[in-house]
Amino acid sequence: MNKLFLFSIILFSVFLSFGQATPTDFLSADFHKERREAVREKMPPNTVAVFFANAERNRANDVDYIYHQDPDFYYLTGYKEPNAVLVIFSEVQENAEGILYDELLYVQERDPRAEQWNGKRLGIEGAKSQLGFEQAFNGADFSKSGIDFKAFDKVLFFDFQNDYRDKRGDADLFDLIKTFKQKTDYPSDYNATKQQLYSMIKSVTSENRANVVQTVKRYLNFDDDLKEDELLKNFVAADDDNLVNDIKKRVVLKLGANNLDSTMLSEIMSTLRETKTEEELTLLKKAVEISAVGQVEVMKAMHPNMSETEIQGVHEYVYKKYGAEYEGYPSIVGGGNNGCILHYIENNKTEVGDDLVLMDLGAEYHGYTADVTRTIPANGKFSPEQKQIYDIVYNAQEAGIQASVVGASFRAPGEAASKVVTEGLLALGIIQNASEARTYFPHGTSHYLGLDVHDKGTYGPFQANTVITVEPGIYIPEGSDCDKKWWGIAVRIEDDILITDNGPVNLSAMAPRTTEAIEAMMKQPSPLDDFKLPKLD
Ligand code: GLY
Ligand code: MN
Ligand code: MN
């Protein structure tokens, strides 16, 4: 054995004993700290904001779904475990020992037995050393904390969905929320939507009254609790200014009954998360590129005997190969008529045959998710009808992408795309008048993209460093009121567009989009051509 070889073995053993190679390209502790500072800057004086980690969800018996952190919580902390709470104060606080702080993080306590079963926990030390928190505690300390929530003008929080369970132990999410409710005198009949509607009524003007009445009416229609509320009922029925002013006064009194605010955090987080920092864009671009490469590999591997779930598996293998942890949303692979179901996730057709296959697939890389759709002919060649529909969607998408510029309205890509789809369907005689277009293009064209596939944002004019999808589609289910030759054709093309001061940038451009480029790519050999598995009985 030569010396260099021996040295390598020793080095490798030392490496193994100190830990394993794991990814390091996560958002930095400085990013999360800076984002907490950005939240603090948007909080009114003398307020406190409270964020809870996502709930764990049971799949069956003693097996939970894979845990996924709440995106706001992740954005502000980098903490990936459940049963945690983050508290941010608008101003520096001082505790009994004279220690100054403006944020506190409560995390899962280290527990060797639990960690043997379910993996390592960061604990207080990790929260300090890896996430950069100066004040980190175990969850059980939350109930002992001296935070006097009632001393603040407002307690900002996201209202609870009541979809969390009380587990063993005294510091799970259930207990943390219970403590919060006790400390804030949270009314048992608290209704976040009612609070939101009251806030709207509080600031209603004669100019926007008609709109606010419409909004309140909409909510009254589907929430029984709201339907019984005297103030809301009176507001909707009010027909003179004196009456409205009287209702406004009563609403102000109701809102002043406690200091809970479940509206403002949503506005703050939407504003912050709409535009991405460079650090975020690095991860988001990676998620999108990985997903585009996945589409390319699927194009090469595709043939009519493949099943929908097998196609899904090819894509998921590629993104795992690049280190993406999850899919950003359940993968959609629909052959023929299945593509007409917008969020089709059964993916259980055993052979896609000669149909078009609609594949809406997005990898999640270190929290950031892509959302890319390609629609391709399983046999490698678009039929004349498939191509005619495809080209309308392609032109609609091009128009939508061109409209995705700084300063444009959020609705601009959708308006541009809808116009092209409508004209195309009229020209082919699939519809007879423009109002029918919605039958075949029933969804929106764009949404924000980031930590959530349908990410948070303000829906105001586009700003630089915002990422959106542009995803028009035409879906003609069997039995539609048009010539049979169109039945079963479903096309969606979806790309992830970075809006910049120099115009839109297509982050998923690596996956071919024109019919010619798709057909050419499908002729390329695939490593899976030689992948043979044994036949099972
Ligand atoms: N994949 C979900 C969507 O396109 O919005
Ligand atoms: Mn989408
Ligand atoms: Mn999609």
Side-chain angles (χ1 to χ4, degrees):
M1 194 180 290
N2 73 31
K3 273 195 192 144
L4 191 63
F5 188 50
L6 188 65
F7 179 67
S8 309
I9 288 187
I10 292 170
L11 206 65
F12 187 56
S13 316
V14 169
F15 175 68
L16 276 186
S17 63
F18 279 110
Q20 333 158 29
T22 51
T24 52
D25 56 334
F26 292 99
L27 294 170
S28 66
D30 283 347
F31 166 86
H32 300 295
K33 188 175 166 62
E34 192 276 323
R35 297 287 80 192
R36 295 195 294 278
E37 196 54 54
V39 168
R40 195 173 290 113
E41 273 168 22
K42 292 195 176 295
M43 291 167 62
N46 196 36
T47 56
V48 55
V50 186
F51 297 84
F52 290 90
N54 222 355
E56 295 169 285
R57 314 221 180 253
N58 186 258
R59 185 166 182 266
N61 194 12
D62 57 351
V63 176
D64 286 344
Y65 284 102
I66 293 173
Y67 184 71
H68 193 285
Q69 188 55 279
D70 169 75
D72 283 324
F73 200 87
Y74 186 66
Y75 185 79
L76 296 174
T77 64
Y79 190 65
K80 288 185 257 177
E81 298 173 30
N83 307 314
V85 55
L86 167 70
V87 186
I88 299 180
F89 301 92
S90 54
E91 288 87 19
V92 173
Q93 311 289 304
E94 183 171 357
N95 70 12
E97 290 85 50
I99 293 173
L100 303 177
Y101 57 92
D102 57 11
E103 55 195 24
L104 306 166
L105 181 68
Y106 295 86
V107 298
Q108 291 199 119
E109 189 167 4
R110 298 288 313 264
D111 176 346
R113 259 171 61 85
E115 292 180 44
Q116 183 184 19
W117 285 91
N118 297 319
K120 253 177 115 72
R121 294 180 175 183
L122 219 47
I124 296 175
E125 286 316 312
K128 289 183 176 175
S129 63
Q130 293 183 41
L131 304 182
F133 278 86
E134 285 173 24
Q135 300 292 324
F137 307 89
N138 288 322
D141 295 326
F142 186 49
S143 62
K144 295 178 224 137
S145 81
I147 308 170
D148 180 4
F149 285 104
K150 280 176 254 161
F152 293 90
D153 288 350
K154 278 183 192 298
V155 178
L156 314 179
F157 71 112
F158 287 104
D159 198 33
F160 310 107
Q161 305 296 324
N162 294 330
D163 56 357
Y164 46 89
R165 295 180 180 189
D166 195 5
K167 295 189 149 191
R168 269 184 270 164
D170 58 0
D172 54 40
L173 186 67
F174 186 94
D175 302 304
L176 296 173
I177 290 176
K178 193 162 116 192
T179 294
F180 173 82
K181 288 182 171 177
Q182 281 164 353
K183 282 179 180 279
T184 56
D185 277 349
Y186 181 91
S188 59
D189 61 350
Y190 188 85
N191 181 324
T193 313
K194 194 188 286 184
Q195 299 291 312
Q196 201 177 336
L197 296 178
Y198 280 180
S199 299
M200 288 169 73
I201 294 173
K202 179 182 159 187
S203 47
V204 75
T205 60
S206 42
E207 283 79 43
N208 72 0
R209 187 165 122 209
N211 283 344
V212 176
V213 166
Q214 281 312 317
T215 307
V216 175
K217 269 188 180 163
R218 231 184 14 252
Y219 280 101
L220 293 191
N221 273 342
F222 63 76
D223 184 324
D224 288 343
D225 192 18
L226 298 181
K227 227 179 260 170
E228 301 305 315
D229 187 80
E230 289 302 321
L231 278 179
L232 295 178
K233 278 198 296 195
N234 289 346
F235 175 71
V236 167
D239 51 8
D240 76 76
D241 286 351
N242 286 341
L243 215 52
V244 172
N245 284 338
D246 182 52
I247 294 167
K248 278 170 83 165
K249 280 189 205 135
R250 287 159 61 200
V251 155
V252 170
L253 280 180
K254 287 256 187 190
L255 285 172
N258 61 55
N259 63 353
L260 296 170
D261 184 317
S262 52
T263 311
M264 197 182 296
L265 269 195
S266 173
E267 288 159 17
I268 292 176
M269 296 312 295
S270 297
T271 306
L272 295 182
R273 284 178 51 190
E274 176 172 335
T275 56
K276 272 60 182 178
T277 68
E278 279 307 313
E279 225 177 296
E280 291 182 281
L281 284 178
T282 301
L283 296 176
L284 188 43
K285 282 179 183 170
K286 182 140 185 179
V288 176
E289 279 178 11
I290 290 171
S291 302
V293 175
Q295 292 278 5
V296 168
E297 290 307 318
V298 168
M299 287 180 194
K300 292 196 257 175
M302 179 74 81
H303 56 79
N305 308 114
M306 279 179 107
S307 70
E308 291 172 343
T309 194
E310 186 183 354
I311 295 165
Q312 173 182 348
V314 173
H315 191 271
E316 292 183 2
Y317 172 75
V318 173
Y319 74 62
K320 295 258 183 206
K321 180 86 179 154
Y322 281 102
E325 294 93 335
Y326 318 106
E327 65 262 50
Y329 52 90
S331 296
I332 298 167
V333 179
N337 203 49
N338 288 343
C340 297
I341 303 167
L342 301 178
H343 284 173
Y344 171 77
I345 56 170
E346 287 165 283
N347 305 348
N348 63 2
K349 192 182 205 173
T350 50
E351 284 197 6
V352 285
D354 288 330
D355 282 331
L356 286 180
V357 187
L358 186 156
M359 309 171 299
D360 186 341
L361 303 160
E364 180 181 313
Y365 187 82
H366 297 3
Y368 287 84
T369 182
D371 187 7
V372 181
T373 306
R374 289 293 180 266
T375 306
I376 68 175
N379 61 15
K381 181 99 188 111
F382 286 87
S383 72
E385 288 78 19
Q386 290 170 347
K387 182 169 162 57
Q388 286 180 84
I389 300 296
Y390 189 96
D391 284 344
I392 297 173
V393 178
Y394 177 83
N395 290 330
Q397 198 203 23
E398 281 289 294
I401 294 172
Q402 295 317 316
S404 306
V405 294
V406 171
S409 142
F410 186 87
R411 291 191 307 274
E415 287 166 356
S418 296
K419 184 166 180 291
V420 177
V421 168
T422 305
E423 286 168 1
L425 291 173
L426 283 168
L428 293 181
I430 293 174
I431 58 173
Q432 268 60 54
N433 56 66
S435 63
E436 295 166 54
R438 205 80 200 131
T439 314
Y440 299 110
F441 178 19
H443 59 76
T445 303
S446 296
H447 54 79
Y448 298 109
L449 190 69
L451 286 170
D452 275 298
V453 61
H454 298 155
D455 212 37
K456 292 193 168 179
T458 61
Y459 299 91
F462 285 135
Q463 302 173 63
N465 293 339
T466 301
V467 180
I468 61 163
T469 64
V470 178
E471 49 172 313
I474 295 179
Y475 315 88
I476 313 178
E478 307 276 351
S480 292
D481 188 13
C482 62
D483 193 319
K484 267 185 171 176
K485 68 177 180 178
W486 307 114
W487 289 5
I489 296 181
V491 176
R492 175 160 69 251
I493 316 174
E494 176 171 28
D495 282 81
D496 301 340
I497 307 299
L498 171 63
I499 295 168
T500 77
D501 287 323
N502 301 319
V505 177
N506 186 347
L507 302 179
S508 39
M510 207 185 287
R513 275 191 307 138
T514 62
T515 54
E516 295 78 15
I518 289 171
E519 287 176 359
M521 184 59 80
M522 292 184 77
K523 291 200 176 87
Q524 298 292 316
S526 159
L528 289 172
D529 294 341
D530 300 322
F531 186 65
K532 303 274 184 277
L533 292 171
K535 271 208 169 356
L536 303 179
D537 293 336

